[in-house]
């Protein structure tokens, strides 16, 4: 079956066992799969991953690697990002 990558963020509040979607600011990273996510202090770091792209004519899929690192600051729910030199 098909899979869908999104840029949504959900939190699980352990005390109440309820999910919630925080209001974020800034530009979120592109939807992706296969990324690495690490929490460092108050920041959630998002590194790598890729996007599946439909080949012209519907003859399959190709993965495009995504450069750079993005983060979500959990003190104000604002996104930031950095791309390596020479990245698209």
């Amino acid at each position: 079956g098909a899979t869908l990558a999104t840029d949504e963020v959900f939190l699980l509040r352990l005390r109440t066992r309820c999910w919630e979607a925080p209001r974020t600011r800034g530009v979120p990273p592109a939807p992706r799969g296969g990324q690495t996510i690490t929490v460092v202090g108050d920041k959630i770091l998002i590194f790598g991953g890729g996007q599946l792209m439909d080949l012209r004519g519907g003859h399959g899929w190709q993965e495009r690697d995504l450069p750079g690192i993005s983060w979500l600051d959990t003190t104000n729910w604002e996104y930031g990002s950095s791309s390596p030199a020479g990245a698209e």
Side-chain angles (χ1 to χ4, degrees):
T3 58
L4 176 67
T6 73
D7 59 4
E8 298 173 298
V9 175
F10 293 95
L11 302 173
L12 174 60
R13 297 291 181 185
L14 296 176
R15 185 175 294 150
T16 62
R17 296 184 195 159
C18 291
W19 288 96
E20 67 181 59
R23 288 190 174 157
T24 59
R25 301 184 322 199
V27 178
R32 64 193 61 217
Q35 71 277 5
T36 299
I37 298 176
T38 303
V39 176
V40 177
D42 293 328
K43 291 188 173 56
I44 300 170
L45 305 176
I46 304 116
F47 175 76
Q51 292 178 322
L52 285 178
M53 301 176 66
D54 189 6
L55 295 175
R56 290 191 176 137
H59 298 292
W61 296 89
Q62 177 180 2
E63 183 171 352
R64 178 176 75 102
D65 292 333
L66 296 169
I69 187 167
S70 297
W71 58 87
L72 179 58
D73 187 330
T74 61
T75 61
N76 59 11
W77 297 105
E78 187 166 5
Y79 283 103
S81 65
S82 174
S83 292
E88 294 180 45

